[in-house]
Amino acid sequence: MEAGESNSGNERRIISKDSSWFSQFRNASNPWMARYAYALIFLVSNLLAWAARDYGRGALTEMKRLKGCNGGKDCLDAEGVLRVSLGCFIFFIVMFLSTARTSKLNDVRDTWHSGWWSVKIALWVVMTIIPFLLPSEFIQIYGEVAHFGAGVFLLIQLISIISFITWLNECCESEKFAARCRIHVMLFATTAYVVCLVGIILMYIWYAPKPSCLLNIFFISWTLVLLQLMTSVSLHPKVDAGILTPGLMGLYVVFLCWCAIRSEPAGGNCIRKSDSTTKTDWLSIISFVVAVLAIVIATFSTGIDSKCFQLKKDNTPPAEDDVPYGYGFFHFVFATGAMYFAMLLIGWNSHHSMRKWTIDVGWTSTWVKIVNEWLAVCVYLWMLIAPIIWNIRHIGST
């Protein structure tokens, strides 16, 4: 029996190495290829949710036939987004439950994850249709739960980004690369700080042109304070985390501050931007497309980064037949990502009307990003000082 399983695994590895991408995809032999298929399903769900919000009125006649749509009006706008999101969420939760704790490539669950695409596409279609048959009250409950799920997604993404930044810094400071990376680290760190300062100055000019713009002045000034705080803690002798990580984290928090202010609803005198009018221009369309692609890419990249969430690090090299990434975690990230894209398309408020070709606009969206920025700094600082605190407690206990 073990010999049969070994031969099966060897055959799959031969297929992976020698066959075309299409053959690998068809024969369920390449889990790396499967990632792109799931990302495509996720992208199509995003586009369906957007279509339900912006162009659902054209399908009103057909919607009237659906039992849970209350004459069609409950399957459009925000509720239409939530219904599509629920279908996508159910699909990836089913995949999560059926692939969690898969560890070997010759496992049946590995074949299910990497293959059976006709069955899974049919399953996704069914899961997308079912929410349109549910009553509006159930969808509203899902909308409330989706706030929490989207927050979980943001937290996972945040930890993944910070882990990547610290990993990059550790690589540059390792004995193998320290000598030849010293100049590159200084160059990247200096560039990061210059970009941060230029970004902060531009935000003052664009989004705080008057002393009366107190909220925007507070957001921008507090971002500058947080940048200084991260730098001071990182350069403290007991921490000694270098200058690269606070510089890269500075880029991230400045970007979050900029996104938060950009999410403020149009109409005020503190935001000088072209989309303050009700007219939809090409810049709005391009911004929307880029934002949707960014959601998919962020979900995709975070989904394969399960190692940064392991409480106990395992430095042993992986076996040849180990799965390349955590399948269960991958699908869980996509499930929470389904809730996240719903919140972006409805502005984190199911009763908030959104203009066509807009995404993540409204005061709720603004505060979600600001809190995300502050949380990012807190998590980063905790990752710096936590080892010191644990060492002090360990010394005290001994």
Side-chain angles (χ1 to χ4, degrees):
M1 183 68 180
E2 292 179 356
E5 291 180 352
S6 177
N7 291 335
S8 176
N10 291 333
E11 289 176 1
R12 289 191 59 189
R13 285 193 289 274
I14 293 172
I15 293 175
S16 297
K17 292 179 180 179
D18 299 336
S19 301
S20 65
W21 282 14
F22 177 76
S23 297
Q24 295 174 31
F25 182 78
R26 183 187 60 193
N27 293 309
S29 60
N30 193 338
W32 291 110
M33 287 291 298
R35 300 175 307 155
Y36 297 99
Y38 290 116
L40 180 61
I41 291 174
F42 187 75
L43 174 61
V44 173
S45 296
N46 276 258
L47 296 177
L48 287 176
W50 158 72
R53 188 196 71 175
D54 286 2
Y55 296 98
R57 298 293 174 186
L60 183 60
T61 304
E62 296 298 324
M63 293 287 187
K64 290 180 180 178
R65 303 178 184 178
L66 297 178
K67 187 179 297 184
C69 287
N70 192 17
K73 65 180 181 180
D74 287 344
C75 291
L76 306 171
D77 298 330
E79 278 212 18
V81 173
L82 292 174
R83 290 175 189 272
V84 176
S85 169
L86 176 58
C88 184
F89 170 78
I90 295 174
F91 172 77
F92 282 107
I93 279 295
V94 170
M95 293 303 304
F96 163 72
L97 295 174
S98 59
T99 60
R101 305 185 69 84
T102 305
S103 59
K104 298 298 180 181
L105 288 175
N106 54 2
D107 194 298
V108 175
R109 292 171 296 176
D110 168 59
T111 306
W112 167 243
H113 169 79
S114 304
W116 293 86
W117 290 107
S118 58
V119 175
K120 285 188 288 193
I121 290 175
L123 176 65
W124 171 72
V125 171
V126 172
M127 294 304 172
T128 303
I129 294 174
I130 287 177
F132 286 91
L133 306 177
L134 300 177
S136 178
E137 293 76 12
F138 185 87
I139 301 301
Q140 290 298 326
I141 294 174
Y142 169 76
E144 297 301 321
V145 176
H147 286 82
F148 173 76
V152 172
F153 174 82
L154 286 174
L155 183 60
I156 293 174
Q157 185 185 48
L158 172 62
I159 296 174
S160 178
I161 291 173
I162 295 177
S163 297
F164 171 75
I165 291 175
T166 54
W167 169 83
L168 181 63
N169 185 65
E170 290 172 357
C171 287
C172 293
E173 292 184 348
S174 63
E175 295 181 1
K176 184 177 181 181
F177 300 105
R180 47 181 175 171
C181 286
R182 186 174 296 117
I183 298 178
H184 298 85
V185 168
M186 290 300 300
L187 179 62
F188 283 130
T190 303
T191 303
Y193 276 102
V194 170
V195 173
C196 288
L197 293 177
V198 170
I200 289 173
I201 293 172
L202 290 177
M203 283 193 290
Y204 274 121
I205 296 173
W206 291 341
Y207 305 130
K210 300 178 182 179
S212 59
C213 303
L214 294 178
L215 187 59
N216 287 353
I217 292 174
F218 168 71
F219 287 159
I220 301 168
S221 301
W222 189 243
T223 299
L224 182 60
V225 171
L226 293 177
L227 176 61
Q228 177 61 43
L229 178 63
M230 289 189 297
T231 304
S232 300
V233 174
S234 296
L235 296 180
H236 192 277
K238 291 186 177 180
V239 177
D240 193 24
I243 197 173
L244 179 61
T245 51
L248 296 178
M249 278 300 299
L251 288 176
Y252 183 55
V253 298
V254 169
F255 172 74
L256 288 177
C257 180
W258 175 77
C259 290
I261 297 177
R262 288 277 300 179
S263 294
E264 293 178 5
N269 296 323
C270 296
I271 300 181
R272 296 168 55 187
K273 56 183 181 180
S274 60
D275 57 354
S276 60
T277 62
T278 58
K279 180 181 177 181
T280 300
D281 54 15
W282 282 106
L283 181 60
S284 300
I285 296 175
I286 293 173
S287 299
F288 177 85
V289 173
V290 170
V292 171
L293 292 177
I295 296 170
V296 178
I297 294 172
T299 309
F300 177 85
S301 58
T302 305
I304 60 175
D305 192 20
S306 59
K307 291 184 178 180
C308 67
F309 295 90
Q310 293 178 351
L311 298 177
K312 185 177 180 180
K313 300 298 181 181
D314 186 7
N315 295 322
T316 58
E320 190 176 357
D321 60 344
D322 283 350
V323 295
Y325 55 91
Y327 296 164
F329 179 79
F330 176 83
H331 292 297
F332 178 76
V333 171
F334 270 85
T336 56
M339 294 180 168
Y340 178 64
F341 80 68
M343 293 298 102
L344 296 187
L345 287 172
I346 66 175
W348 295 81
N349 187 351
S350 59
H351 304 290
H352 173 64
S353 60
M354 299 276 286
R355 230 174 10 99
K356 282 186 178 182
W357 297 103
T358 58
I359 189 169
D360 207 15
V361 175
W363 284 114
T364 307
S365 299
T366 297
W367 280 106
V368 165
K369 291 175 182 176
I370 288 296
V371 172
N372 190 30
E373 175 194 346
W374 298 346
L375 182 61
V377 176
C378 291
V379 172
Y380 172 72
L381 293 177
W382 173 250
M383 292 177 70
L384 292 181
I385 65 176
I388 300 175
I389 296 175
W390 290 335
N391 288 336
I392 293 175
R393 292 182 62 183
H394 178 71
I395 294 173
S397 62
T398 55

